[in-house]
């Protein structure tokens, strides 16, 4: 059984497995690196994070216990 942690992601508390969190963190970091040179890059990354949080929230509302790396 994998360890589950609770994170605050875009104002939502999300239950996520540790491995999935590491993958998410790497992805968000890569987005910041990619868009850091563009005007409005922070806003673009924030919009992407907001959408990811919405998708995670929807999955959790459907009764899934936590976000996994699958």
């Amino acid at each position: 059984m994998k360890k589950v942690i609770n994170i605050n992601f875009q104002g939502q508390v999300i239950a996520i497995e540790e491995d999935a969190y590491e993958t998410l963190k790497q992805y968000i970091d890569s987005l910041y690196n990619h868009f850091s040179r563009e005007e409005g890059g922070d806003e673009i990354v924030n919009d992407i994070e907001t959408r990811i949080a919405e998708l995670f929230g929807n999955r959790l509302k459907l009764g899934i216990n936590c976000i996994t790396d699958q």
Side-chain angles (χ1 to χ4, degrees):
M1 178 174 257
K2 295 183 180 182
K3 183 177 178 181
V4 176
I5 58 175
N6 289 314
I7 62 171
N8 185 331
F9 188 66
Q10 291 291 315
Q12 295 185 39
V13 176
I14 304 290
I16 186 170
E17 288 182 352
E18 237 177 354
D19 293 343
Y21 172 73
E22 288 302 319
T23 302
L24 175 64
K25 185 176 180 326
Q26 289 173 2
Y27 179 66
I28 298 298
D29 289 344
S30 71
L31 289 173
Y32 275 109
N33 289 335
H34 179 77
F35 289 108
S36 66
R37 297 177 286 287
E38 293 192 30
E39 185 177 326
D42 287 340
E43 186 176 333
I44 293 169
V45 175
N46 187 53
D47 289 346
I48 294 170
E49 287 181 343
T50 300
R51 182 61 179 142
I52 292 170
E54 288 173 3
L55 294 171
F56 284 175
N58 287 341
R59 290 187 61 86
L60 294 172
K61 286 177 187 173
L62 293 175
I64 295 172
N65 293 333
C66 69
I67 302 300
T68 67
D69 56 356
Q70 296 177 0

